[in-house]
Amino acid sequence: MAQQDDNLLKKVVSHAKEYGFIFPSSEIYDGLGAVYDYGQNGVELKNNLKEYWWRFMTQVQDNIVGIDSAIFMHPTIWKASGHVDAFNDPMVDNKDSKKRYRADVLIEEALDKIQEKIDKEVEKAAKRFGDSFDKVMFVSTNPRVQEYVKKINEANERLKNAMSSSDMASMKQLMTDLEIADPVSGTRNWTDVRQFNLMFSTEMGSIAEEANKIYLRPETAQGIFVNFLNVQKTGRMKIPFGIAQIGKAFRNEIVARQFIFRMREFEQMEMQFFVKPGDEMNWYAFWKEQRLKWHHALGLGSENYRFHDHLNLAHYANAACDIQFNFPMGFKELEGIHSRTDFDLKSHEKYSGKKLQYFDTESNQSFIPYVIETSIGLDRLFLATLSSAYKEEKLEDGSDRVVLSIPPALAPHKVAVLPLVKKDGLPEKAETILHDLKFEFSSYYEDKDTIGKRYRRMDAIGTPYCVTVDHQTLQDDTVTIRHRDTMQQDRVAVASLRDRLAEDCSMVSLLKNIK
Ligand code: ATP
Protein backbone atom coordinates (compact mmCIF):
# COMPACT_ATOMS: atom_id res chain seq x y z
CA MET A 1 0.00 0.00 0.00
CA ALA A 2 1.27 3.45 -0.88
CA GLN A 3 1.68 5.69 2.11
CA GLN A 4 -0.42 8.82 1.97
CA ASP A 5 1.55 11.96 2.56
CA ASP A 6 -0.86 14.80 3.29
CA ASN A 7 2.05 16.85 4.50
CA LEU A 8 3.77 16.55 1.13
CA LEU A 9 0.62 17.67 -0.67
CA LYS A 10 0.36 20.73 1.60
CA LYS A 11 3.98 21.58 0.96
CA VAL A 12 3.59 21.19 -2.80
CA VAL A 13 0.50 23.43 -2.77
CA SER A 14 2.24 26.22 -0.91
CA HIS A 15 5.47 25.86 -2.89
CA ALA A 16 3.50 25.99 -6.15
CA LYS A 17 1.95 29.26 -5.04
CA GLU A 18 5.08 30.85 -3.59
CA TYR A 19 7.13 30.18 -6.72
CA GLY A 20 4.62 31.12 -9.40
CA PHE A 21 3.48 27.66 -10.52
CA ILE A 22 -0.18 27.61 -9.47
CA PHE A 23 -2.47 30.22 -7.91
CA PRO A 24 -6.05 29.70 -6.74
CA SER A 25 -8.35 31.26 -9.34
CA SER A 26 -9.81 34.69 -8.50
CA GLU A 27 -7.79 34.75 -5.31
CA ILE A 28 -8.45 38.40 -4.44
CA TYR A 29 -12.15 37.47 -4.35
CA ASP A 30 -11.40 34.51 -2.04
CA GLY A 31 -11.07 32.01 -4.86
CA LEU A 32 -13.45 29.85 -6.87
CA GLY A 33 -13.96 26.21 -5.89
CA ALA A 34 -11.59 23.80 -7.61
CA VAL A 35 -10.46 26.26 -10.26
CA TYR A 36 -6.80 27.23 -10.53
CA ASP A 37 -4.54 29.51 -12.57
CA TYR A 38 -1.08 28.57 -13.78
CA GLY A 39 1.56 31.20 -13.04
CA GLN A 40 4.70 32.26 -14.85
CA ASN A 41 6.64 29.07 -14.07
CA GLY A 42 3.61 26.78 -14.10
CA VAL A 43 2.66 27.67 -17.65
CA GLU A 44 6.18 26.83 -18.88
CA LEU A 45 6.15 23.42 -17.20
CA LYS A 46 2.63 22.78 -18.46
CA ASN A 47 3.58 23.72 -22.03
CA ASN A 48 6.59 21.40 -21.87
CA LEU A 49 4.42 18.52 -20.65
CA LYS A 50 2.03 19.17 -23.53
CA GLU A 51 4.92 19.20 -25.98
CA TYR A 52 6.22 15.89 -24.65
CA TRP A 53 2.81 14.31 -25.20
CA TRP A 54 2.01 16.03 -28.50
CA ARG A 55 5.32 15.23 -30.14
CA PHE A 56 5.22 11.60 -29.03
CA MET A 57 1.71 11.16 -30.31
CA THR A 58 1.72 13.15 -33.54
CA GLN A 59 5.40 13.22 -34.53
CA VAL A 60 7.00 10.02 -33.26
CA GLN A 61 3.99 7.86 -34.17
CA ASP A 62 3.57 7.55 -37.95
CA ASN A 63 -0.16 7.34 -38.14
CA ILE A 64 -1.57 9.92 -35.73
CA VAL A 65 -2.55 13.49 -36.54
CA GLY A 66 -3.81 16.23 -34.26
CA ILE A 67 -6.82 18.54 -34.23
CA ASP A 68 -8.09 21.39 -32.10
CA SER A 69 -11.88 21.29 -31.98
CA ALA A 70 -14.17 23.86 -30.37
CA ILE A 71 -15.31 23.62 -26.76
CA PHE A 72 -18.90 24.42 -27.77
CA MET A 73 -20.54 21.69 -29.79
CA HIS A 74 -24.01 20.86 -31.02
CA PRO A 75 -26.04 19.82 -27.95
CA THR A 76 -27.21 16.58 -29.61
CA ILE A 77 -23.60 15.36 -29.46
CA TRP A 78 -23.96 14.96 -25.70
CA LYS A 79 -27.23 13.13 -26.13
CA ALA A 80 -25.56 10.71 -28.57
CA SER A 81 -22.51 10.21 -26.37
CA GLY A 82 -24.70 9.34 -23.37
CA HIS A 83 -23.56 12.31 -21.28
CA VAL A 84 -26.99 13.97 -21.01
CA ASP A 85 -28.58 10.83 -19.61
CA ALA A 86 -25.76 9.09 -17.83
CA PHE A 87 -22.90 11.45 -16.89
CA ASN A 88 -24.15 11.62 -13.32
CA ASP A 89 -22.81 11.21 -9.84
CA PRO A 90 -25.05 10.34 -6.87
CA MET A 91 -25.19 13.32 -4.53
CA VAL A 92 -26.35 13.53 -0.92
CA ASP A 93 -26.43 16.35 1.65
CA ASN A 94 -26.20 16.18 5.40
CA LYS A 95 -29.02 18.33 6.79
CA ASP A 96 -27.07 19.32 9.90
CA SER A 97 -23.67 20.23 8.50
CA LYS A 98 -25.15 21.31 5.14
CA LYS A 99 -22.17 19.55 3.53
CA ARG A 100 -22.52 17.83 0.18
CA TYR A 101 -21.03 14.42 -0.63
CA ARG A 102 -20.89 11.81 -3.37
CA ALA A 103 -22.93 8.93 -1.97
CA ASP A 104 -20.83 6.28 -3.72
CA VAL A 105 -17.66 7.76 -2.20
CA LEU A 106 -19.20 7.74 1.31
CA ILE A 107 -20.13 4.09 0.83
CA GLU A 108 -16.68 3.17 -0.47
CA GLU A 109 -15.05 4.94 2.47
CA ALA A 110 -17.30 3.04 4.89
CA LEU A 111 -16.23 -0.23 3.26
CA ASP A 112 -12.57 0.81 3.51
CA LYS A 113 -13.12 1.20 7.26
CA ILE A 114 -14.46 -2.34 7.50
CA GLN A 115 -11.43 -3.52 5.54
CA GLU A 116 -9.22 -1.73 8.08
CA LYS A 117 -10.93 -3.73 10.84
CA ILE A 118 -10.06 -6.93 8.99
CA ASP A 119 -6.45 -5.79 8.65
CA LYS A 120 -6.31 -5.09 12.39
CA GLU A 121 -7.66 -8.54 13.25
CA VAL A 122 -5.05 -10.10 10.97
CA GLU A 123 -2.29 -8.03 12.51
CA LYS A 124 -3.35 -9.02 16.06
CA ALA A 125 -3.53 -12.69 15.14
CA ALA A 126 -0.14 -12.56 13.39
CA LYS A 127 1.40 -11.27 16.60
CA ARG A 128 -0.35 -13.88 18.70
CA PHE A 129 0.58 -16.89 16.54
CA GLY A 130 4.07 -15.76 15.50
CA ASP A 131 5.85 -17.82 12.83
CA SER A 132 3.12 -20.43 12.60
CA PHE A 133 0.55 -17.82 11.43
CA ASP A 134 -1.28 -18.74 8.22
CA LYS A 135 -3.03 -15.60 6.94
CA VAL A 136 -5.17 -17.25 4.26
CA MET A 137 -6.40 -19.86 6.72
CA PHE A 138 -7.13 -17.22 9.36
CA VAL A 139 -9.10 -14.97 6.98
CA SER A 140 -11.15 -17.85 5.63
CA THR A 141 -12.02 -19.33 9.04
CA ASN A 142 -12.15 -16.59 11.66
CA PRO A 143 -15.87 -15.91 12.24
CA ARG A 144 -15.49 -12.19 12.91
CA VAL A 145 -13.35 -11.63 9.81
CA GLN A 146 -15.76 -13.75 7.76
CA GLU A 147 -18.61 -11.55 8.84
CA TYR A 148 -16.73 -8.41 7.76
CA VAL A 149 -15.83 -9.96 4.39
CA LYS A 150 -19.46 -10.90 3.81
CA LYS A 151 -20.59 -7.40 4.69
CA ILE A 152 -18.12 -5.84 2.23
CA ASN A 153 -19.01 -8.21 -0.60
CA GLU A 154 -22.74 -7.74 -0.15
CA ALA A 155 -22.43 -3.97 0.03
CA ASN A 156 -20.22 -3.86 -3.07
CA GLU A 157 -22.77 -5.88 -5.00
CA ARG A 158 -25.61 -3.60 -3.88
CA LEU A 159 -23.55 -0.50 -4.77
CA LYS A 160 -22.79 -1.85 -8.23
CA ASN A 161 -26.46 -2.68 -8.88
CA ALA A 162 -27.72 0.65 -7.57
CA MET A 163 -25.21 2.56 -9.72
CA SER A 164 -25.89 0.65 -12.91
CA SER A 165 -29.68 0.94 -12.56
CA SER A 166 -29.56 4.53 -11.22
CA ASP A 167 -31.53 3.33 -8.21
CA MET A 168 -30.97 6.18 -5.78
CA ALA A 169 -33.41 4.83 -3.16
CA SER A 170 -31.32 1.65 -2.83
CA MET A 171 -28.24 3.81 -2.53
CA LYS A 172 -29.80 5.67 0.40
CA GLN A 173 -30.89 2.37 1.98
CA LEU A 174 -27.32 1.11 1.70
CA MET A 175 -26.07 4.22 3.48
CA THR A 176 -28.62 3.60 6.24
CA ASP A 177 -27.70 -0.09 6.56
CA LEU A 178 -24.00 0.75 6.77
CA GLU A 179 -24.84 3.36 9.44
CA ILE A 180 -22.89 6.04 7.59
CA ALA A 181 -22.55 9.29 9.54
CA ASP A 182 -21.37 12.65 8.30
CA PRO A 183 -17.69 13.09 9.26
CA VAL A 184 -18.41 16.76 10.00
CA SER A 185 -21.67 16.76 12.01
CA GLY A 186 -21.48 13.13 13.10
CA THR A 187 -25.22 12.69 12.35
CA ARG A 188 -27.10 10.41 9.95
CA ASN A 189 -29.56 13.10 9.01
CA TRP A 190 -29.26 12.75 5.21
CA THR A 191 -31.36 14.07 2.33
CA ASP A 192 -32.42 11.63 -0.38
CA VAL A 193 -29.70 10.62 -2.79
CA ARG A 194 -30.14 12.44 -6.12
CA GLN A 195 -28.46 12.06 -9.48
CA PHE A 196 -26.37 15.07 -10.35
CA ASN A 197 -25.30 15.70 -13.95
CA LEU A 198 -21.69 16.85 -14.11
CA MET A 199 -22.03 18.90 -17.31
CA PHE A 200 -22.02 22.69 -17.16
CA SER A 201 -24.61 24.27 -19.42
CA THR A 202 -25.12 27.72 -20.85
CA GLU A 203 -27.23 29.34 -23.56
CA MET A 204 -26.13 30.11 -27.06
CA GLY A 205 -27.50 33.23 -28.71
CA SER A 206 -29.42 36.06 -27.09
CA ILE A 207 -32.57 34.27 -25.93
CA ALA A 208 -32.42 32.01 -22.90
CA GLU A 209 -34.57 29.09 -23.96
CA GLU A 210 -34.22 25.38 -23.40
CA ALA A 211 -33.68 24.96 -27.15
CA ASN A 212 -30.57 27.14 -27.00
CA LYS A 213 -29.00 25.17 -24.19
CA ILE A 214 -25.48 24.02 -24.92
CA TYR A 215 -22.83 22.37 -22.77
CA LEU A 216 -19.22 23.02 -21.97
CA ARG A 217 -17.57 19.80 -23.14
CA PRO A 218 -16.87 17.33 -20.30
CA GLU A 219 -14.28 15.53 -22.45
CA THR A 220 -12.39 16.37 -25.63
CA ALA A 221 -13.01 12.96 -27.23
CA GLN A 222 -16.36 13.82 -28.83
CA GLY A 223 -14.71 16.60 -30.88
CA ILE A 224 -12.54 13.86 -32.36
CA PHE A 225 -15.40 11.46 -33.09
CA VAL A 226 -17.49 14.03 -34.94
CA ASN A 227 -14.46 15.02 -37.05
CA PHE A 228 -13.45 11.44 -37.76
CA LEU A 229 -14.46 11.46 -41.43
CA ASN A 230 -13.23 15.03 -42.06
CA VAL A 231 -9.75 14.06 -40.94
CA GLN A 232 -9.78 10.62 -42.53
CA LYS A 233 -10.80 11.95 -45.94
CA THR A 234 -8.76 15.17 -46.06
CA GLY A 235 -5.70 13.46 -44.58
CA ARG A 236 -6.16 10.29 -46.70
CA MET A 237 -5.72 8.33 -43.49
CA LYS A 238 -5.68 4.54 -43.63
CA ILE A 239 -6.85 2.41 -40.77
CA PRO A 240 -5.30 1.93 -38.24
CA PHE A 241 -4.82 5.63 -37.51
CA GLY A 242 -5.30 8.03 -34.65
CA ILE A 243 -6.46 11.58 -33.93
CA ALA A 244 -5.01 13.45 -30.97
CA GLN A 245 -6.20 16.55 -29.21
CA ILE A 246 -5.26 18.69 -26.20
CA GLY A 247 -7.92 20.93 -24.72
CA LYS A 248 -10.01 22.15 -21.85
CA ALA A 249 -12.79 20.06 -20.37
CA PHE A 250 -15.31 21.02 -17.71
CA ARG A 251 -17.00 18.94 -15.03
CA ASN A 252 -19.14 20.23 -12.21
CA GLU A 253 -17.55 17.85 -9.71
CA ILE A 254 -19.66 17.46 -6.58
CA VAL A 255 -16.74 17.36 -4.22
CA ALA A 256 -13.59 18.82 -5.65
CA ARG A 257 -10.54 18.68 -3.47
CA GLN A 258 -6.94 17.52 -3.53
CA PHE A 259 -5.65 20.58 -5.35
CA ILE A 260 -5.37 20.20 -9.13
CA PHE A 261 -6.16 16.47 -8.99
CA ARG A 262 -9.89 17.12 -9.31
CA MET A 263 -10.81 20.43 -10.86
CA ARG A 264 -13.96 21.84 -12.42
CA GLU A 265 -12.04 23.25 -15.38
CA PHE A 266 -9.12 21.11 -16.48
CA GLU A 267 -7.16 20.04 -19.52
CA GLN A 268 -7.16 16.66 -21.22
CA MET A 269 -4.79 15.09 -23.73
CA GLU A 270 -6.76 12.46 -25.58
CA MET A 271 -6.13 10.23 -28.55
CA GLN A 272 -8.65 8.04 -30.36
CA PHE A 273 -7.12 5.24 -32.38
CA PHE A 274 -9.41 3.83 -35.10
CA VAL A 275 -8.97 0.15 -35.88
CA LYS A 276 -10.63 -2.69 -37.73
CA PRO A 277 -13.35 -4.44 -35.67
CA GLY A 278 -11.79 -7.56 -34.20
CA ASP A 279 -8.30 -6.03 -33.96
CA GLU A 280 -9.13 -3.91 -30.94
CA MET A 281 -7.69 -6.16 -28.24
CA ASN A 282 -4.25 -6.21 -29.90
CA TRP A 283 -4.28 -2.44 -30.17
CA TYR A 284 -5.52 -2.11 -26.61
CA ALA A 285 -2.50 -4.11 -25.44
CA PHE A 286 -0.25 -2.06 -27.75
CA TRP A 287 -1.43 1.26 -26.34
CA LYS A 288 -1.20 0.08 -22.73
CA GLU A 289 2.44 -0.71 -23.34
CA GLN A 290 3.19 2.47 -25.32
CA ARG A 291 1.64 4.73 -22.74
CA LEU A 292 3.43 3.12 -19.82
CA LYS A 293 6.76 3.44 -21.65
CA TRP A 294 6.03 7.11 -22.29
CA HIS A 295 5.45 7.61 -18.56
CA HIS A 296 8.52 5.66 -17.53
CA ALA A 297 10.78 7.66 -19.88
CA LEU A 298 9.77 10.84 -18.05
CA GLY A 299 11.98 9.75 -15.18
CA LEU A 300 9.59 10.18 -12.25
CA GLY A 301 10.38 6.62 -11.08
CA SER A 302 8.81 3.55 -12.69
CA GLU A 303 7.85 2.21 -9.24
CA ASN A 304 5.33 5.07 -9.06
CA TYR A 305 3.08 3.65 -11.79
CA ARG A 306 0.73 0.71 -11.90
CA PHE A 307 -2.16 -0.53 -14.01
CA HIS A 308 -5.60 -0.82 -12.51
CA ASP A 309 -7.98 -2.91 -14.63
CA HIS A 310 -11.65 -1.94 -14.57
CA LEU A 311 -13.87 -4.79 -13.51
CA ASN A 312 -17.15 -2.90 -13.94
CA LEU A 313 -17.00 -1.70 -17.53
CA ALA A 314 -18.89 1.32 -18.84
CA HIS A 315 -21.70 0.42 -21.26
CA TYR A 316 -19.59 1.35 -24.31
CA ALA A 317 -16.35 -0.42 -23.36
CA ASN A 318 -15.13 -3.99 -23.83
CA ALA A 319 -11.90 -3.42 -21.91
CA ALA A 320 -10.58 -0.55 -19.79
CA CYS A 321 -7.82 0.24 -17.35
CA ASP A 322 -6.20 3.17 -15.61
CA ILE A 323 -2.56 4.00 -15.25
CA GLN A 324 -2.35 5.01 -11.62
CA PHE A 325 0.38 7.20 -10.20
CA ASN A 326 1.67 7.34 -6.66
CA PHE A 327 0.45 10.85 -5.81
CA PRO A 328 0.95 12.30 -2.31
CA MET A 329 -2.61 10.98 -1.66
CA GLY A 330 -1.59 7.45 -2.69
CA PHE A 331 -2.03 5.57 -6.00
CA LYS A 332 -4.74 7.26 -8.07
CA GLU A 333 -5.84 7.50 -11.70
CA LEU A 334 -3.57 9.54 -13.94
CA GLU A 335 -4.58 8.20 -17.35
CA GLY A 336 -7.37 6.01 -18.71
CA ILE A 337 -7.01 3.55 -21.59
CA HIS A 338 -10.32 2.36 -22.95
CA SER A 339 -11.46 0.06 -25.71
CA ARG A 340 -14.66 1.92 -26.66
CA THR A 341 -15.86 -0.43 -29.41
CA ASP A 342 -17.87 1.35 -32.15
CA PHE A 343 -20.23 2.87 -29.60
CA ASP A 344 -19.54 6.55 -30.23
CA LEU A 345 -19.38 6.55 -34.04
CA LYS A 346 -22.43 4.32 -34.27
CA SER A 347 -24.38 6.55 -31.96
CA HIS A 348 -23.39 9.70 -33.88
CA GLU A 349 -24.51 7.98 -37.09
CA LYS A 350 -27.86 7.33 -35.49
CA TYR A 351 -28.39 10.82 -34.07
CA SER A 352 -26.97 12.81 -37.01
CA GLY A 353 -28.33 10.63 -39.79
CA LYS A 354 -24.89 10.86 -41.49
CA LYS A 355 -22.76 7.87 -42.36
CA LEU A 356 -19.54 7.68 -40.34
CA GLN A 357 -17.95 4.70 -42.02
CA TYR A 358 -14.53 3.89 -43.31
CA PHE A 359 -14.21 2.49 -46.79
CA ASP A 360 -11.57 -0.20 -46.91
CA THR A 361 -10.13 -0.29 -50.44
CA GLU A 362 -8.56 -3.71 -49.91
CA SER A 363 -11.74 -5.54 -49.02
CA ASN A 364 -14.04 -3.11 -50.86
CA GLN A 365 -16.14 -2.86 -47.74
CA SER A 366 -17.35 -0.08 -45.47
CA PHE A 367 -17.39 -0.44 -41.72
CA ILE A 368 -17.56 1.58 -38.52
CA PRO A 369 -14.13 1.38 -36.92
CA TYR A 370 -13.55 0.33 -33.35
CA VAL A 371 -11.73 2.76 -31.09
CA ILE A 372 -8.97 2.56 -28.52
CA GLU A 373 -8.74 5.72 -26.45
CA THR A 374 -5.90 7.02 -24.33
CA SER A 375 -6.93 9.89 -22.09
CA ILE A 376 -4.67 11.69 -19.67
CA GLY A 377 -5.36 14.72 -17.47
CA LEU A 378 -2.67 17.33 -18.07
CA ASP A 379 -3.19 18.84 -14.61
CA ARG A 380 -2.81 15.44 -12.96
CA LEU A 381 0.39 14.92 -14.93
CA PHE A 382 1.55 18.32 -13.70
CA LEU A 383 0.80 17.31 -10.10
CA ALA A 384 2.61 13.99 -10.57
CA THR A 385 5.67 15.83 -11.93
CA LEU A 386 5.67 18.52 -9.27
CA SER A 387 5.07 16.25 -6.28
CA SER A 388 7.72 13.74 -7.27
CA ALA A 389 10.22 16.51 -8.07
CA TYR A 390 9.78 18.26 -4.70
CA LYS A 391 12.68 17.54 -2.34
CA GLU A 392 13.82 19.04 0.93
CA GLU A 393 17.51 18.59 1.57
CA LYS A 394 19.85 19.22 4.45
CA LEU A 395 23.18 20.49 3.16
CA GLU A 396 26.66 19.86 4.50
CA ASP A 397 26.92 23.35 5.97
CA GLY A 398 23.77 22.65 8.01
CA SER A 399 21.45 24.81 5.88
CA ASP A 400 18.31 23.54 4.12
CA ARG A 401 17.20 23.81 0.56
CA VAL A 402 14.09 22.94 -1.41
CA VAL A 403 14.86 21.70 -4.88
CA LEU A 404 12.53 20.72 -7.71
CA SER A 405 14.27 17.92 -9.58
CA ILE A 406 12.10 18.36 -12.66
CA PRO A 407 13.42 16.41 -15.67
CA PRO A 408 15.62 19.07 -17.41
CA ALA A 409 13.71 18.96 -20.71
CA LEU A 410 10.53 19.90 -18.84
CA ALA A 411 11.97 22.54 -16.49
CA PRO A 412 10.39 26.02 -16.87
CA HIS A 413 13.86 27.49 -17.45
CA LYS A 414 16.88 25.50 -18.60
CA VAL A 415 19.51 27.97 -17.49
CA ALA A 416 19.98 31.03 -15.31
CA VAL A 417 22.76 33.46 -16.20
CA LEU A 418 24.01 35.24 -13.09
CA PRO A 419 26.66 37.95 -12.87
CA LEU A 420 28.57 37.44 -9.60
CA VAL A 421 28.36 41.14 -8.80
CA LYS A 422 26.38 43.97 -10.32
CA LYS A 423 29.40 46.00 -11.50
CA ASP A 424 32.74 45.82 -13.31
CA GLY A 425 31.10 44.95 -16.63
CA LEU A 426 29.85 41.55 -15.39
CA PRO A 427 26.14 42.27 -16.03
CA GLU A 428 26.97 43.31 -19.59
CA LYS A 429 28.97 40.13 -20.20
CA ALA A 430 26.14 38.07 -18.69
CA GLU A 431 23.63 39.78 -20.98
CA THR A 432 25.74 38.80 -24.00
CA ILE A 433 25.83 35.15 -22.90
CA LEU A 434 22.11 35.23 -22.22
CA HIS A 435 21.47 36.63 -25.68
CA ASP A 436 23.39 33.76 -27.25
CA LEU A 437 21.36 31.14 -25.39
CA LYS A 438 17.85 32.50 -25.08
CA PHE A 439 16.68 31.81 -28.63
CA GLU A 440 17.16 28.10 -28.10
CA PHE A 441 16.65 27.63 -24.36
CA SER A 442 14.22 29.25 -21.99
CA SER A 443 16.71 31.31 -19.95
CA TYR A 444 16.62 33.46 -16.86
CA TYR A 445 18.68 36.46 -15.84
CA GLU A 446 19.07 37.71 -12.30
CA ASP A 447 21.55 40.05 -10.66
CA LYS A 448 19.94 40.81 -7.29
CA ASP A 449 21.01 39.29 -3.93
CA THR A 450 23.97 37.08 -3.09
CA ILE A 451 24.85 34.32 -5.49
CA GLY A 452 23.86 31.73 -2.83
CA LYS A 453 20.35 33.15 -2.57
CA ARG A 454 20.02 33.22 -6.33
CA TYR A 455 21.08 29.56 -6.54
CA ARG A 456 18.40 28.66 -3.98
CA ARG A 457 15.71 30.47 -5.94
CA MET A 458 16.72 28.61 -9.11
CA ASP A 459 16.70 25.28 -7.20
CA ALA A 460 13.20 26.07 -5.99
CA ILE A 461 11.86 26.53 -9.53
CA GLY A 462 13.80 23.57 -10.89
CA THR A 463 16.32 25.34 -13.18
CA PRO A 464 18.86 22.60 -14.03
CA TYR A 465 21.82 24.93 -14.68
CA CYS A 466 23.15 28.17 -13.24
CA VAL A 467 25.91 29.90 -15.17
CA THR A 468 27.90 32.39 -13.10
CA VAL A 469 29.83 35.17 -14.76
CA ASP A 470 32.80 36.43 -12.70
CA HIS A 471 35.92 38.52 -13.23
CA GLN A 472 37.82 35.61 -14.75
CA THR A 473 35.11 35.39 -17.44
CA LEU A 474 36.20 38.77 -18.75
CA GLN A 475 39.74 37.49 -19.16
CA ASP A 476 39.40 33.97 -20.52
CA ASP A 477 35.74 33.58 -21.55
CA THR A 478 35.03 30.82 -19.05
CA VAL A 479 32.17 30.59 -16.53
CA THR A 480 31.17 28.30 -13.68
CA ILE A 481 28.26 26.06 -14.45
CA ARG A 482 26.39 24.68 -11.45
CA HIS A 483 24.19 21.64 -11.64
CA ARG A 484 20.89 21.81 -9.73
CA ASP A 485 20.79 18.27 -8.35
CA THR A 486 24.45 17.65 -7.46
CA MET A 487 25.27 21.34 -6.81
CA GLN A 488 28.61 20.56 -8.40
CA GLN A 489 30.34 23.50 -10.11
CA ASP A 490 32.66 23.22 -13.11
CA ARG A 491 34.66 25.82 -14.94
CA VAL A 492 33.80 25.64 -18.65
CA ALA A 493 34.28 27.71 -21.78
CA VAL A 494 31.35 29.98 -22.66
CA ALA A 495 31.51 28.49 -26.14
CA SER A 496 30.68 25.02 -24.76
CA LEU A 497 27.44 26.07 -22.99
CA ARG A 498 25.13 25.62 -25.94
CA ASP A 499 26.15 22.01 -26.57
CA ARG A 500 25.98 21.13 -22.89
CA LEU A 501 22.45 22.50 -22.56
CA ALA A 502 21.37 20.95 -25.85
CA GLU A 503 22.52 17.55 -24.67
CA ASP A 504 21.08 17.63 -21.17
CA CYS A 505 17.86 19.58 -21.63
CA SER A 506 16.70 18.22 -24.92
CA MET A 507 13.13 17.18 -25.55
CA VAL A 508 14.41 15.08 -28.44
CA SER A 509 16.59 12.98 -26.08
CA LEU A 510 13.62 12.56 -23.75
CA LEU A 511 11.49 11.33 -26.65
CA LYS A 512 14.26 9.03 -27.87
CA ASN A 513 14.36 7.58 -24.38
CA ILE A 514 10.96 5.98 -24.99
CA LYS A 515 12.01 2.51 -25.96
P1 ATP B 1 -12.06 10.00 -11.89
O1 ATP B 1 -12.52 8.58 -11.71
O2 ATP B 1 -10.80 10.34 -11.14
O3 ATP B 1 -13.16 11.01 -11.71
P2 ATP B 1 -12.60 9.62 -14.65
O4 ATP B 1 -12.49 8.13 -14.75
O5 ATP B 1 -13.93 10.27 -14.60
O6 ATP B 1 -11.67 10.15 -13.44
P3 ATP B 1 -11.98 10.05 -17.40
O7 ATP B 1 -13.35 10.44 -17.76
O8 ATP B 1 -11.45 8.71 -17.83
O9 ATP B 1 -11.76 10.26 -15.83
O10 ATP B 1 -11.00 11.21 -17.89
C1 ATP B 1 -9.70 10.97 -18.37
C2 ATP B 1 -8.65 11.69 -17.56
O11 ATP B 1 -9.00 13.05 -17.34
C3 ATP B 1 -8.46 11.11 -16.16
O12 ATP B 1 -7.59 10.01 -16.18
C4 ATP B 1 -7.88 12.28 -15.42
O13 ATP B 1 -6.47 12.35 -15.58
C5 ATP B 1 -8.50 13.48 -16.08
N1 ATP B 1 -9.60 14.04 -15.27
C6 ATP B 1 -10.86 13.59 -15.19
N2 ATP B 1 -11.59 14.36 -14.36
C7 ATP B 1 -10.75 15.33 -13.90
C8 ATP B 1 -10.91 16.44 -13.02
N3 ATP B 1 -12.08 16.73 -12.47
N4 ATP B 1 -9.82 17.21 -12.77
C9 ATP B 1 -8.63 16.95 -13.35
N5 ATP B 1 -8.43 15.92 -14.19
C10 ATP B 1 -9.47 15.12 -14.48
Side-chain angles (χ1 to χ4, degrees), residues 251 253 260-263 266 268 333-336 338 375-377 380:
R251 294 183 187 179
E253 301 280 0
I260 55 170
F261 182 83
R262 191 172 297 285
M263 301 157 90
F266 58 102
Q268 288 186 315
E333 173 176 346
L334 168 61
E335 170 156 7
H338 313 123
S375 172
I376 177 167
R380 288 192 190 176

Side-chain angles (χ1 to χ4, degrees), residues 189-233:
N189 193 8
W190 298 107
T191 60
D192 284 343
V193 181
R194 288 149 294 157
Q195 286 282 33
F196 177 76
N197 193 290
L198 300 184
M199 281 199 294
F200 284 97
S201 63
T202 185
E203 292 95 29
M204 190 153 215
S206 53
I207 312 161
E209 279 177 9
E210 191 58 20
N212 295 337
K213 186 169 170 182
I214 58 165
Y215 299 97
L216 271 68
R217 64 180 178 200
E219 62 175 29
T220 58
Q222 297 305 323
I224 293 179
F225 287 123
V226 296
N227 277 300
F228 154 72
L229 265 196
N230 282 339
V231 173
Q232 191 270 318
K233 289 203 165 133

